[in-house]
Amino acid sequence: MSLQRKILRGSTLNLLDHAARVGSMLVVTPLMVTQLGLEGYGVWLVLTAAVSFLTLLDGGITLSGTRYLARALGRGDAAEAERVTGTLHWLYRRIGLACLAATALLALAVPWLVRDPVWQQAGRLVLLALGGSMALRFFLRIHLVVLKSHLRYDRIVAASLVKILVQTGLILWLLTRGHGLVVLALAQILSDLIDQGLVVAFSRRTQPAARARACRNLLPELLRFSGLAFLNTTGQQLRSRIDPFVLSAFVGVASVPIYNTGLRLATLFADVFNAVMGGTLLAGFSQIEGRGGMTSLRDKFLLSLRVSVPLALFGAAGLTTIGPAFLVRWLGPEFSESGQILRVLIPPYTLWLMQFPAGSLFLSLNRHHLITRLTFVAGLFNALLSALLASQIGLHGVVWATFIDMTLFYGIAVPLLLCRVLDLSLVAYLRALLRPVLKVGLILAAGAWLAAPWLQPKYASLAVAGLIQGTVFAVTTWFLLLNGEERRALRQRLQRRP
């Protein structure tokens, strides 16, 4: 199978895996809210957010290791591949031990994470269980790197789908029988064990295990490459994962599900965007950059905005109109405030996704250090501003902190950096960015107006509203966004399909 087909297959399978996760979330979340209550579900969200910070111990090693192992495999250098594998083994063993130590510290910090003594004993057991599971994943992480380096995303997704099915089934069965947080954590551990067992088995079939020793000369290079990835991940974690702790401290743990639910729809849309466009854009921009064509790269980047801007606007229109009513139907009237939160967060998320190709562009030019440092600073700014505003105005202070941070970052910093990297005037860039907005925005607003009578908290009515908006977007794309040549090419491709 060619490299291009492997990349395309990987993108498709990632989208399938994401769809399965969304489906599981849609089924499991209402039952968790009903059985655990707002406070119990909020405690679960705070604890899982705390455990998610343990992923920072990876330090970007997985990204770096995948790059170096894939490069060795591409060169056919078996000795180099063994050196990389041995070095990663050495690193992951130590990261796993560090994860166990950090888990013990988190368990001691439970009184600060969960203020209500009623939940503290269960919270401590949940942290120990989930942290131990995270440590196990670090100890076995080399097998995931092997599969990624061989572009065997089919096997990664197969293991993930089995995990999702097992985890969803176990959680539904346990919740309906009245079990609480600790048993849910054990169900997650069991599904993780199945997932990791499959990954190990698939890895050994893909690349037989080798007993290579760590190469100390390779360590500085691996760590240098991974440093920027670590900085970027830390900034993103501070932006998106610190909020449950802020809310728990200043507002109360019962406010966490209200905020998290509104945020989740926005992040799900961003995840779909990444699954559809991320890998394809990076590969394409990298090939163009490799040929040394900066002018061509600039033109292709501006052309990519013709895709990202309309898709971002369509998603924003759908979430803004349908999202609040869907949340009420999905989780109940007590989550109506989540719809308000969603509407506040949609504009900055749209601003980000309109410029989504920028991330792939910076990576392809090896200029991602610019955006990485800014992401880290923005994450710190978001965390501090969230704490300040939450202490003054409560739940919506965290929402507006995220709004301000993302608007400044994607409205000012990213456009200026892009113009600097591409040697492009700000006026020319804004013209390319806003032209599709003017073409599509008003028509999508008209579509939202047509769908308004169907915006009732009923799945059938919401489906009709979505169909109306989807039809308006499809017609707009065909007649206003595609030129005559593009329409002919698309028509010919559709006619060739059996």
Side-chain angles (χ1 to χ4, degrees), residues 437-494:
V437 174
L438 297 176
K439 284 185 176 181
V440 177
L442 291 176
I443 297 177
L444 287 178
W449 178 77
L450 290 173
W454 298 92
L455 297 177
Q456 305 296 325
K458 302 175 182 178
Y459 287 133
S461 297
L462 295 175
V464 173
L467 181 62
I468 291 171
Q469 290 191 298
T471 302
V472 169
F473 178 71
V475 172
T476 302
T477 300
W478 184 262
F479 289 104
L480 291 184
L481 295 178
L482 299 179
N483 58 39
E485 183 179 346
E486 290 167 340
R487 285 195 292 270
R488 282 193 298 273
L490 182 58
R491 194 182 292 113
Q492 289 173 0
R493 169 167 286 191
L494 291 174

Short mmCIF file of all heavy atoms in Angstrom, two decimals, residues 437-494:
data_model
loop_
_atom_site.label_atom_id
_atom_site.label_comp_id
_atom_site.label_asym_id
_atom_site.label_seq_id
_atom_site.Cartn_x
_atom_site.Cartn_y
_atom_site.Cartn_z
N VAL A 437 -16.35 34.59 4.38
CA VAL A 437 -17.30 34.94 5.44
C VAL A 437 -18.43 35.78 4.86
O VAL A 437 -19.62 35.55 5.16
CB VAL A 437 -16.59 35.70 6.57
CG1 VAL A 437 -17.60 36.19 7.61
CG2 VAL A 437 -15.54 34.82 7.23
N LEU A 438 -18.06 36.73 4.02
CA LEU A 438 -19.07 37.59 3.41
C LEU A 438 -19.98 36.81 2.47
O LEU A 438 -21.17 37.08 2.36
CB LEU A 438 -18.39 38.74 2.67
CG LEU A 438 -17.56 39.69 3.54
CD1 LEU A 438 -16.85 40.73 2.69
CD2 LEU A 438 -18.44 40.36 4.58
N LYS A 439 -19.41 35.81 1.78
CA LYS A 439 -20.20 35.02 0.85
C LYS A 439 -21.17 34.09 1.57
O LYS A 439 -22.30 33.88 1.13
CB LYS A 439 -19.28 34.19 -0.06
CG LYS A 439 -18.60 34.98 -1.15
CD LYS A 439 -17.82 34.03 -2.06
CE LYS A 439 -17.20 34.76 -3.23
NZ LYS A 439 -16.47 33.83 -4.13
N VAL A 440 -20.70 33.52 2.66
CA VAL A 440 -21.44 32.43 3.31
C VAL A 440 -22.23 32.89 4.52
O VAL A 440 -23.32 32.39 4.80
CB VAL A 440 -20.47 31.30 3.72
CG1 VAL A 440 -21.19 30.20 4.47
CG2 VAL A 440 -19.77 30.73 2.50
N GLY A 441 -21.68 33.87 5.25
CA GLY A 441 -22.23 34.23 6.55
C GLY A 441 -23.71 34.61 6.51
O GLY A 441 -24.52 34.09 7.28
N LEU A 442 -24.08 35.53 5.62
CA LEU A 442 -25.46 35.99 5.57
C LEU A 442 -26.41 34.87 5.15
O LEU A 442 -27.54 34.77 5.67
CB LEU A 442 -25.58 37.18 4.61
CG LEU A 442 -24.92 38.48 5.09
CD1 LEU A 442 -25.04 39.55 4.01
CD2 LEU A 442 -25.56 38.96 6.38
N ILE A 443 -25.97 34.02 4.24
CA ILE A 443 -26.84 32.93 3.78
C ILE A 443 -27.04 31.90 4.88
O ILE A 443 -28.14 31.38 5.08
CB ILE A 443 -26.26 32.28 2.51
CG1 ILE A 443 -26.21 33.31 1.38
CG2 ILE A 443 -27.07 31.07 2.08
CD1 ILE A 443 -25.59 32.82 0.11
N LEU A 444 -25.97 31.60 5.64
CA LEU A 444 -26.11 30.69 6.77
C LEU A 444 -27.01 31.30 7.85
O LEU A 444 -27.77 30.58 8.51
CB LEU A 444 -24.75 30.36 7.35
CG LEU A 444 -23.88 29.41 6.52
CD1 LEU A 444 -22.53 29.20 7.20
CD2 LEU A 444 -24.56 28.07 6.30
N ALA A 445 -26.94 32.61 8.01
CA ALA A 445 -27.85 33.27 8.95
C ALA A 445 -29.30 33.11 8.49
O ALA A 445 -30.21 32.89 9.31
CB ALA A 445 -27.48 34.75 9.08
N ALA A 446 -29.52 33.22 7.17
CA ALA A 446 -30.87 33.00 6.63
C ALA A 446 -31.31 31.56 6.86
O ALA A 446 -32.47 31.29 7.19
CB ALA A 446 -30.89 33.33 5.15
N GLY A 447 -30.38 30.62 6.71
CA GLY A 447 -30.69 29.22 6.98
C GLY A 447 -31.08 29.00 8.44
O GLY A 447 -32.01 28.24 8.75
N ALA A 448 -30.36 29.68 9.34
CA ALA A 448 -30.71 29.58 10.76
C ALA A 448 -32.10 30.15 11.03
O ALA A 448 -32.86 29.61 11.84
CB ALA A 448 -29.66 30.32 11.60
N TRP A 449 -32.44 31.21 10.31
CA TRP A 449 -33.78 31.81 10.46
C TRP A 449 -34.86 30.84 9.98
O TRP A 449 -35.91 30.68 10.61
CB TRP A 449 -33.84 33.11 9.69
CG TRP A 449 -35.20 33.78 9.73
CD1 TRP A 449 -35.73 34.49 10.76
CD2 TRP A 449 -36.18 33.76 8.69
NE1 TRP A 449 -36.99 34.93 10.44
CE2 TRP A 449 -37.29 34.51 9.17
CE3 TRP A 449 -36.22 33.22 7.41
CZ2 TRP A 449 -38.43 34.70 8.40
CZ3 TRP A 449 -37.35 33.41 6.65
CH2 TRP A 449 -38.45 34.12 7.14
N LEU A 450 -34.60 30.16 8.85
CA LEU A 450 -35.56 29.18 8.34
C LEU A 450 -35.72 27.99 9.29
O LEU A 450 -36.80 27.40 9.41
CB LEU A 450 -35.10 28.68 6.96
CG LEU A 450 -35.18 29.67 5.81
CD1 LEU A 450 -34.53 29.08 4.56
CD2 LEU A 450 -36.63 30.05 5.52
N ALA A 451 -34.62 27.64 9.97
CA ALA A 451 -34.67 26.48 10.88
C ALA A 451 -35.26 26.83 12.24
O ALA A 451 -35.60 25.92 13.01
CB ALA A 451 -33.26 25.92 11.06
N ALA A 452 -35.39 28.13 12.55
CA ALA A 452 -35.80 28.56 13.89
C ALA A 452 -37.10 27.93 14.38
O ALA A 452 -37.19 27.53 15.55
CB ALA A 452 -35.90 30.09 13.94
N PRO A 453 -38.14 27.80 13.53
CA PRO A 453 -39.39 27.20 14.03
C PRO A 453 -39.24 25.75 14.51
O PRO A 453 -40.10 25.25 15.24
CB PRO A 453 -40.34 27.28 12.82
CG PRO A 453 -39.79 28.38 11.97
CD PRO A 453 -38.30 28.30 12.15
N TRP A 454 -38.17 25.09 14.10
CA TRP A 454 -37.98 23.68 14.46
C TRP A 454 -37.06 23.49 15.66
O TRP A 454 -36.76 22.36 16.03
CB TRP A 454 -37.40 22.92 13.26
CG TRP A 454 -38.31 22.91 12.07
CD1 TRP A 454 -38.31 23.80 11.04
CD2 TRP A 454 -39.36 21.99 11.82
NE1 TRP A 454 -39.30 23.50 10.14
CE2 TRP A 454 -39.97 22.37 10.60
CE3 TRP A 454 -39.87 20.88 12.49
CZ2 TRP A 454 -41.04 21.69 10.05
CZ3 TRP A 454 -40.93 20.19 11.94
CH2 TRP A 454 -41.51 20.60 10.75
N LEU A 455 -36.63 24.61 16.27
CA LEU A 455 -35.67 24.52 17.37
C LEU A 455 -36.39 24.23 18.68
O LEU A 455 -36.48 25.08 19.58
CB LEU A 455 -34.85 25.81 17.46
CG LEU A 455 -33.96 26.10 16.24
CD1 LEU A 455 -33.25 27.43 16.41
CD2 LEU A 455 -32.98 24.97 16.03
N GLN A 456 -36.92 23.04 18.77
CA GLN A 456 -37.58 22.55 19.96
C GLN A 456 -36.74 21.41 20.56
O GLN A 456 -36.04 20.72 19.83
CB GLN A 456 -38.97 22.03 19.63
CG GLN A 456 -39.86 23.06 18.92
CD GLN A 456 -40.16 24.27 19.79
OE1 GLN A 456 -40.31 24.13 21.01
NE2 GLN A 456 -40.24 25.45 19.19
N PRO A 457 -36.80 21.22 21.87
CA PRO A 457 -36.02 20.13 22.48
C PRO A 457 -36.60 18.75 22.18
O PRO A 457 -36.99 18.00 23.08
CB PRO A 457 -36.06 20.47 23.98
CG PRO A 457 -37.30 21.28 24.15
CD PRO A 457 -37.48 22.05 22.88
N LYS A 458 -36.68 18.44 20.89
CA LYS A 458 -37.15 17.14 20.41
C LYS A 458 -36.21 16.69 19.30
O LYS A 458 -35.88 17.49 18.41
CB LYS A 458 -38.58 17.23 19.87
CG LYS A 458 -39.61 17.73 20.88
CD LYS A 458 -40.98 17.89 20.22
CE LYS A 458 -42.00 18.44 21.20
NZ LYS A 458 -43.32 18.65 20.56
N TYR A 459 -35.77 15.45 19.35
CA TYR A 459 -34.79 14.99 18.37
C TYR A 459 -35.30 15.11 16.94
O TYR A 459 -34.55 15.49 16.04
CB TYR A 459 -34.40 13.53 18.67
CG TYR A 459 -33.52 13.38 19.90
CD1 TYR A 459 -33.81 12.42 20.86
CD2 TYR A 459 -32.42 14.20 20.09
CE1 TYR A 459 -33.00 12.28 21.99
CE2 TYR A 459 -31.61 14.07 21.20
CZ TYR A 459 -31.91 13.11 22.15
OH TYR A 459 -31.11 12.98 23.27
N ALA A 460 -36.56 14.80 16.69
CA ALA A 460 -37.10 14.87 15.32
C ALA A 460 -37.08 16.31 14.81
O ALA A 460 -36.69 16.58 13.66
CB ALA A 460 -38.53 14.31 15.29
N SER A 461 -37.52 17.26 15.65
CA SER A 461 -37.52 18.67 15.25
C SER A 461 -36.10 19.17 14.99
O SER A 461 -35.84 19.89 14.01
CB SER A 461 -38.18 19.52 16.34
OG SER A 461 -39.52 19.16 16.51
N LEU A 462 -35.16 18.78 15.85
CA LEU A 462 -33.78 19.20 15.67
C LEU A 462 -33.16 18.59 14.42
O LEU A 462 -32.33 19.23 13.75
CB LEU A 462 -32.96 18.82 16.91
CG LEU A 462 -33.35 19.54 18.20
CD1 LEU A 462 -32.56 18.99 19.38
CD2 LEU A 462 -33.13 21.04 18.07
N ALA A 463 -33.56 17.36 14.08
CA ALA A 463 -33.08 16.74 12.85
C ALA A 463 -33.56 17.53 11.63
O ALA A 463 -32.80 17.73 10.67
CB ALA A 463 -33.54 15.29 12.77
N VAL A 464 -34.81 17.98 11.65
CA VAL A 464 -35.33 18.80 10.55
C VAL A 464 -34.56 20.11 10.46
O VAL A 464 -34.18 20.56 9.36
CB VAL A 464 -36.83 19.06 10.74
CG1 VAL A 464 -37.34 20.05 9.68
CG2 VAL A 464 -37.61 17.75 10.64
N ALA A 465 -34.30 20.75 11.60
CA ALA A 465 -33.53 22.00 11.60
C ALA A 465 -32.14 21.79 11.03
O ALA A 465 -31.64 22.61 10.24
CB ALA A 465 -33.45 22.55 13.03
N GLY A 466 -31.51 20.68 11.40
CA GLY A 466 -30.18 20.37 10.86
C GLY A 466 -30.22 20.12 9.37
O GLY A 466 -29.31 20.53 8.63
N LEU A 467 -31.27 19.44 8.90
CA LEU A 467 -31.42 19.18 7.47
C LEU A 467 -31.57 20.49 6.69
O LEU A 467 -31.00 20.66 5.61
CB LEU A 467 -32.62 18.27 7.23
CG LEU A 467 -32.91 17.88 5.78
CD1 LEU A 467 -31.73 17.10 5.19
CD2 LEU A 467 -34.20 17.06 5.69
N ILE A 468 -32.34 21.41 7.23
CA ILE A 468 -32.52 22.71 6.57
C ILE A 468 -31.19 23.44 6.45
O ILE A 468 -30.81 23.94 5.37
CB ILE A 468 -33.55 23.58 7.35
CG1 ILE A 468 -34.94 22.97 7.23
CG2 ILE A 468 -33.54 25.01 6.84
CD1 ILE A 468 -35.96 23.63 8.14
N GLN A 469 -30.46 23.50 7.55
CA GLN A 469 -29.18 24.21 7.52
C GLN A 469 -28.16 23.50 6.63
O GLN A 469 -27.38 24.15 5.93
CB GLN A 469 -28.63 24.37 8.93
CG GLN A 469 -29.44 25.35 9.77
CD GLN A 469 -28.76 25.71 11.05
OE1 GLN A 469 -28.52 24.85 11.90
NE2 GLN A 469 -28.44 26.98 11.23
N GLY A 470 -28.16 22.17 6.65
CA GLY A 470 -27.24 21.43 5.79
C GLY A 470 -27.55 21.65 4.32
O GLY A 470 -26.62 21.79 3.49
N THR A 471 -28.83 21.71 3.97
CA THR A 471 -29.22 21.96 2.57
C THR A 471 -28.79 23.35 2.14
O THR A 471 -28.25 23.54 1.03
CB THR A 471 -30.74 21.80 2.42
OG1 THR A 471 -31.12 20.49 2.83
CG2 THR A 471 -31.17 22.03 0.98
N VAL A 472 -29.01 24.33 2.99
CA VAL A 472 -28.61 25.70 2.68
C VAL A 472 -27.10 25.77 2.47
O VAL A 472 -26.61 26.41 1.52
CB VAL A 472 -29.04 26.67 3.80
CG1 VAL A 472 -28.40 28.04 3.61
CG2 VAL A 472 -30.56 26.80 3.82
N PHE A 473 -26.33 25.09 3.31
CA PHE A 473 -24.88 25.10 3.18
C PHE A 473 -24.43 24.41 1.90
O PHE A 473 -23.53 24.91 1.19
CB PHE A 473 -24.24 24.40 4.39
CG PHE A 473 -22.74 24.32 4.31
CD1 PHE A 473 -21.96 25.45 4.47
CD2 PHE A 473 -22.12 23.11 4.08
CE1 PHE A 473 -20.58 25.37 4.40
CE2 PHE A 473 -20.74 23.01 4.01
CZ PHE A 473 -19.97 24.15 4.17
N ALA A 474 -25.05 23.27 1.56
CA ALA A 474 -24.66 22.55 0.35
C ALA A 474 -24.92 23.39 -0.90
O ALA A 474 -24.08 23.47 -1.81
CB ALA A 474 -25.42 21.23 0.27
N VAL A 475 -26.08 24.05 -0.95
CA VAL A 475 -26.43 24.89 -2.11
C VAL A 475 -25.47 26.08 -2.19
O VAL A 475 -24.98 26.44 -3.27
CB VAL A 475 -27.89 25.37 -2.01
CG1 VAL A 475 -28.19 26.40 -3.09
CG2 VAL A 475 -28.84 24.18 -2.13
N THR A 476 -25.18 26.67 -1.04
CA THR A 476 -24.26 27.81 -1.01
C THR A 476 -22.87 27.41 -1.50
O THR A 476 -22.22 28.12 -2.28
CB THR A 476 -24.16 28.37 0.43
OG1 THR A 476 -25.45 28.74 0.87
CG2 THR A 476 -23.25 29.58 0.47
N THR A 477 -22.39 26.26 -1.04
CA THR A 477 -21.07 25.78 -1.44
C THR A 477 -21.02 25.56 -2.95
O THR A 477 -20.06 25.96 -3.62
CB THR A 477 -20.74 24.46 -0.71
OG1 THR A 477 -20.73 24.70 0.70
CG2 THR A 477 -19.39 23.94 -1.14
N TRP A 478 -22.05 24.93 -3.49
CA TRP A 478 -22.04 24.58 -4.91
C TRP A 478 -22.06 25.82 -5.81
O TRP A 478 -21.31 25.91 -6.77
CB TRP A 478 -23.25 23.68 -5.22
CG TRP A 478 -23.28 23.19 -6.64
CD1 TRP A 478 -23.99 23.70 -7.69
CD2 TRP A 478 -22.52 22.11 -7.19
NE1 TRP A 478 -23.76 23.01 -8.84
CE2 TRP A 478 -22.85 22.01 -8.55
CE3 TRP A 478 -21.61 21.20 -6.63
CZ2 TRP A 478 -22.29 21.04 -9.38
CZ3 TRP A 478 -21.06 20.25 -7.46
CH2 TRP A 478 -21.41 20.17 -8.81
N PHE A 479 -22.88 26.80 -5.47
CA PHE A 479 -23.06 27.93 -6.37
C PHE A 479 -22.18 29.12 -6.07
O PHE A 479 -21.87 29.91 -6.97
CB PHE A 479 -24.54 28.37 -6.37
CG PHE A 479 -25.46 27.40 -7.04
CD1 PHE A 479 -26.29 26.57 -6.30
CD2 PHE A 479 -25.49 27.29 -8.43
CE1 PHE A 479 -27.14 25.66 -6.92
CE2 PHE A 479 -26.33 26.39 -9.06
CZ PHE A 479 -27.16 25.57 -8.31
N LEU A 480 -21.76 29.29 -4.81
CA LEU A 480 -20.99 30.48 -4.46
C LEU A 480 -19.52 30.22 -4.18
O LEU A 480 -18.68 31.09 -4.45
CB LEU A 480 -21.62 31.16 -3.23
CG LEU A 480 -22.99 31.82 -3.43
CD1 LEU A 480 -23.42 32.51 -2.16
CD2 LEU A 480 -22.96 32.81 -4.58
N LEU A 481 -19.20 29.04 -3.62
CA LEU A 481 -17.82 28.80 -3.22
C LEU A 481 -17.01 28.07 -4.29
O LEU A 481 -15.82 28.30 -4.45
CB LEU A 481 -17.79 28.01 -1.92
CG LEU A 481 -18.37 28.74 -0.70
CD1 LEU A 481 -18.33 27.85 0.52
CD2 LEU A 481 -17.61 30.03 -0.43
N LEU A 482 -17.64 27.15 -5.01
CA LEU A 482 -16.94 26.42 -6.07
C LEU A 482 -17.05 27.19 -7.38
O LEU A 482 -18.12 27.68 -7.73
CB LEU A 482 -17.54 25.02 -6.24
CG LEU A 482 -17.47 24.08 -5.03
CD1 LEU A 482 -18.14 22.75 -5.37
CD2 LEU A 482 -16.04 23.86 -4.60
N ASN A 483 -15.92 27.28 -8.10
CA ASN A 483 -15.99 27.90 -9.43
C ASN A 483 -16.41 26.85 -10.46
O ASN A 483 -16.58 25.67 -10.14
CB ASN A 483 -14.65 28.55 -9.80
CG ASN A 483 -13.49 27.55 -9.77
OD1 ASN A 483 -13.63 26.40 -10.17
ND2 ASN A 483 -12.33 28.01 -9.27
N GLY A 484 -16.57 27.30 -11.70
CA GLY A 484 -17.07 26.40 -12.73
C GLY A 484 -16.19 25.18 -12.94
O GLY A 484 -16.68 24.05 -13.09
N GLU A 485 -14.87 25.38 -12.94
CA GLU A 485 -13.95 24.27 -13.14
C GLU A 485 -14.04 23.25 -12.00
O GLU A 485 -14.03 22.04 -12.23
CB GLU A 485 -12.53 24.81 -13.26
CG GLU A 485 -11.48 23.74 -13.54
CD GLU A 485 -10.08 24.32 -13.68
OE1 GLU A 485 -9.97 25.55 -13.82
OE2 GLU A 485 -9.12 23.54 -13.63
N GLU A 486 -14.15 23.74 -10.78
CA GLU A 486 -14.25 22.85 -9.62
C GLU A 486 -15.56 22.07 -9.64
O GLU A 486 -15.60 20.88 -9.29
CB GLU A 486 -14.12 23.67 -8.34
CG GLU A 486 -12.72 24.22 -8.11
CD GLU A 486 -12.67 25.28 -7.03
OE1 GLU A 486 -13.72 25.87 -6.71
OE2 GLU A 486 -11.57 25.54 -6.50
N ARG A 487 -16.64 22.73 -10.07
CA ARG A 487 -17.92 22.02 -10.15
C ARG A 487 -17.86 20.91 -11.20
O ARG A 487 -18.37 19.81 -11.00
CB ARG A 487 -19.05 23.00 -10.46
CG ARG A 487 -19.47 23.87 -9.29
CD ARG A 487 -20.81 24.53 -9.54
NE ARG A 487 -20.74 25.52 -10.59
CZ ARG A 487 -20.46 26.81 -10.41
NH1 ARG A 487 -20.24 27.26 -9.18
NH2 ARG A 487 -20.41 27.64 -11.41
N ARG A 488 -17.23 21.19 -12.34
CA ARG A 488 -17.11 20.17 -13.40
C ARG A 488 -16.28 18.99 -12.92
O ARG A 488 -16.63 17.83 -13.15
CB ARG A 488 -16.49 20.79 -14.65
CG ARG A 488 -17.45 21.62 -15.48
CD ARG A 488 -16.87 21.93 -16.85
NE ARG A 488 -15.65 22.73 -16.74
CZ ARG A 488 -15.63 24.06 -16.67
NH1 ARG A 488 -16.78 24.74 -16.69
NH2 ARG A 488 -14.50 24.72 -16.57
N ALA A 489 -15.15 19.29 -12.23
CA ALA A 489 -14.28 18.21 -11.74
C ALA A 489 -15.01 17.34 -10.72
O ALA A 489 -14.92 16.11 -10.75
CB ALA A 489 -13.01 18.81 -11.13
N LEU A 490 -15.76 17.98 -9.84
CA LEU A 490 -16.50 17.21 -8.83
C LEU A 490 -17.60 16.38 -9.48
O LEU A 490 -17.82 15.22 -9.11
CB LEU A 490 -17.09 18.17 -7.79
CG LEU A 490 -17.85 17.53 -6.63
CD1 LEU A 490 -16.95 16.56 -5.87
CD2 LEU A 490 -18.39 18.60 -5.69
N ARG A 491 -18.27 16.95 -10.47
CA ARG A 491 -19.33 16.22 -11.15
C ARG A 491 -18.77 15.00 -11.89
O ARG A 491 -19.35 13.91 -11.86
CB ARG A 491 -20.04 17.15 -12.14
CG ARG A 491 -21.38 16.61 -12.65
CD ARG A 491 -22.01 17.54 -13.66
NE ARG A 491 -22.44 18.79 -13.04
CZ ARG A 491 -21.92 19.99 -13.29
NH1 ARG A 491 -20.89 20.10 -14.15
NH2 ARG A 491 -22.38 21.06 -12.70
N GLN A 492 -17.61 15.17 -12.53
CA GLN A 492 -16.99 14.05 -13.25
C GLN A 492 -16.56 12.95 -12.27
O GLN A 492 -16.73 11.76 -12.56
CB GLN A 492 -15.78 14.55 -14.04
CG GLN A 492 -16.16 15.41 -15.24
CD GLN A 492 -14.95 16.05 -15.90
OE1 GLN A 492 -13.81 15.85 -15.45
NE2 GLN A 492 -15.17 16.84 -16.95
N ARG A 493 -16.03 13.34 -11.12
CA ARG A 493 -15.61 12.33 -10.15
C ARG A 493 -16.81 11.55 -9.62
O ARG A 493 -16.74 10.33 -9.47
CB ARG A 493 -14.88 13.01 -8.98
CG ARG A 493 -14.63 12.09 -7.81
CD ARG A 493 -13.65 12.68 -6.81
NE ARG A 493 -12.31 12.64 -7.33
CZ ARG A 493 -11.21 12.89 -6.58
NH1 ARG A 493 -11.36 13.17 -5.30
NH2 ARG A 493 -10.02 12.84 -7.11
N LEU A 494 -17.92 12.23 -9.37
CA LEU A 494 -19.12 11.55 -8.89
C LEU A 494 -19.68 10.61 -9.95
O LEU A 494 -20.18 9.52 -9.64
CB LEU A 494 -20.18 12.58 -8.48
CG LEU A 494 -19.86 13.42 -7.23
CD1 LEU A 494 -20.91 14.48 -7.02
CD2 LEU A 494 -19.74 12.52 -6.00
#
